[in-house]
Amino acid sequence: MKKYLDDFIVVSNERLNHEYVVLTLKHPDRLPHMMPGQFVEVKVENGPNTFLRRPISIHDVDKEANTMKLLIQEIGEGTRLMGALQEGDKCNLVYPLGNWFSLPDKPDVLLVGGGCGIAPLLFMGRHLKANGIKPRFLLGARTSEGLIALDEFKKLGEVYTTTEDGSAGTKGYVIHHPVMRTQDPDIDWIYTCGPDAMMRVVAKYARNHDIRCQVSLENHMACGFGACLCCVADTLDGNKCTCTDGPVFDSTYLKW
Ligand SMILES: Cc1cc2nc3c(=O)[nH]c(=O)nc-3n(C[C@H](O)[C@H](O)[C@H](O)COP(=O)(O)OP(=O)(O)OC[C@H]3O[C@@H](n4cnc5c(N)ncnc54)[C@H](O)[C@@H]3O)c2cc1C
Ligand code: FES
């Protein structure tokens, strides 16, 4: 897929809580085709330590409005500067990067996300719905405050939640939710993105129940185009770059 380098304009910055913001970015002309699971590399302006672009998943796309959304979790200098962008600011992106989630060949689909890993699942949920598949979402967080964008997910399908402290939804990790406890799950495909440990457990569950599972890895990246090899994942075919061969992999292809 062709890559672009464009200045977008920030049309809104919505703060969800002390840690997360959603940036809505308008394309200067017409947004090109992009797929769920792909990501952008954001140029961070004015940061003394942010020479490298930062990879961020495409959270949502509105072709009519010519906008895309990015969900930013502020964890360091780069993401904090992104979170400080204001309406009218410029945001330079290289996009769309990486591969994308496949459409399922069966109808019962569960999307499992944790932390900022929920970002690509909204766009994927919209894509599934547009293709006649009703997605279900299982979203996990440490506390109820970390369960973000639930209203957006609820517009697309049923939403289950877990929190580690039990302040909302089922207490525990996503794997403790009843939808993943049954021995005979009504799930054909799982798509997951979030902390590595969460995805490994979800992938193991999928393997044990003969469920097809695609994971979107968020390995540390530097160059973002396959040159530095800092983002490699260990696969059945040896090391593969998450930035160019991924970020989406079939879980059985990874040596987990
Ligand atoms: C394909 C992909 C998609 C991503 N999508 C999103 C997204 O939609 N929203 C979002 O908020 N973030 C996303 N990330 C993570 C995001 O890129 C990092 O959080 C960001 O680069 C950190 O930059 P920083 O300057 O804020 O922090 P830094 O100062 O670079 O790092 C701060 C701390 O975070 C750790 N860190 C940095 N990068 C990562 C990472 N990839 N995973 C785990 N820990 C990390 C560092 O080790 C350090 O401890 C994605 C990453 C990848 C690879
Ligand atoms: S980030 Fe450099 S090879 Fe992937």
Side-chain angles (χ1 to χ4, degrees):
M1 197 180 282
K2 191 174 169 195
K3 313 281 176 258
Y4 300 85
L5 172 68
D6 282 318
D7 282 336
F8 283 64
I9 299 296
V10 178
V11 290
S12 69
N13 175 336
E14 184 192 357
R15 180 154 289 281
L16 304 183
N17 62 25
H18 70 281
E19 190 175 27
Y20 284 96
V21 301
V22 173
L23 291 178
T24 303
L25 306 176
K26 194 169 180 73
H27 189 266
D29 185 15
R30 256 180 103 81
L31 266 183
H33 188 58
M34 295 178 282
M35 291 295 287
Q38 290 190 294
F39 63 99
V40 302
E41 284 272 13
V42 182
K43 183 173 182 190
V44 182
E45 309 276 2
N46 305 322
N49 306 306
T50 54
F51 172 73
L52 296 169
R53 287 173 179 267
R54 299 299 196 258
I56 300 289
S57 301
I58 300 170
H59 181 44
D60 208 0
V61 169
D62 183 339
K63 287 284 251 186
E64 303 263 297
N66 236 359
T67 56
M68 93 164 81
K69 288 186 197 268
L70 305 180
L71 173 71
I72 310 291
Q73 181 185 22
E74 297 172 326
I75 62 163
E77 187 179 349
T79 46
R80 271 196 286 277
L81 285 166
M82 283 181 228
L85 287 171
Q86 294 300 315
E87 188 180 334
D89 285 346
K90 196 180 71 176
C91 184
N92 184 273
L93 305 183
V94 177
Y95 70 105
L97 299 172
N99 66 353
W100 49 89
F101 294 117
S102 319
L103 275 176
D105 54 1
K106 291 184 184 159
D108 285 319
V109 169
L110 185 69
L111 293 86
V112 184
C116 69
I118 68 165
L121 303 185
L122 187 71
F123 187 20
M124 183 56 183
R126 197 175 297 293
H127 183 57
L128 289 166
K129 199 170 173 200
N131 282 276
I133 292 157
K134 198 161 180 210
R136 289 181 291 160
F137 301 94
L138 173 56
L139 308 176
R142 278 195 298 278
T143 68
S144 58
E145 211 205 350
L147 291 172
I148 49 172
L150 292 186
D151 289 343
E152 294 302 311
F153 285 101
K154 282 178 186 164
K155 288 178 194 162
L156 301 173
E158 199 170 347
V159 177
Y160 315 116
T161 56
T162 61
T163 51
E164 289 172 35
D165 68 353
S167 52
T170 300
K171 184 170 182 181
Y173 298 113
V174 289
I175 200 70
H176 298 129
H177 191 277
V179 76
M180 297 190 82
R181 298 306 288 171
T182 163
Q183 281 313 306
D184 188 17
D186 55 348
I187 307 168
D188 301 316
W189 279 61
I190 290 178
Y191 301 92
T192 185
C193 186
D196 214 62
M198 181 203 86
M199 291 196 288
R200 283 173 189 258
V201 175
V202 171
K204 186 172 171 197
Y205 172 85
R207 195 168 52 243
N208 290 344
H209 293 86
D210 214 11
I211 297 168
R212 179 89 183 263
C213 178
Q214 289 193 332
V215 306
S216 182
L217 299 183
E218 292 195 342
N219 290 9
H220 285 237
M221 289 185 184
C223 72
F225 52 85
C228 71
L229 305 184
C230 85
C231 66
V232 292
D234 194 9
T235 72
L236 298 182
D237 295 320
N239 283 340
K240 293 283 175 188
C241 288
T242 302
C243 62
T244 47
D245 301 307
V248 177
F249 294 94
D250 256 67
S251 63
T252 52
Y253 185 62
L254 294 169
K255 280 203 188 163
W256 272 4

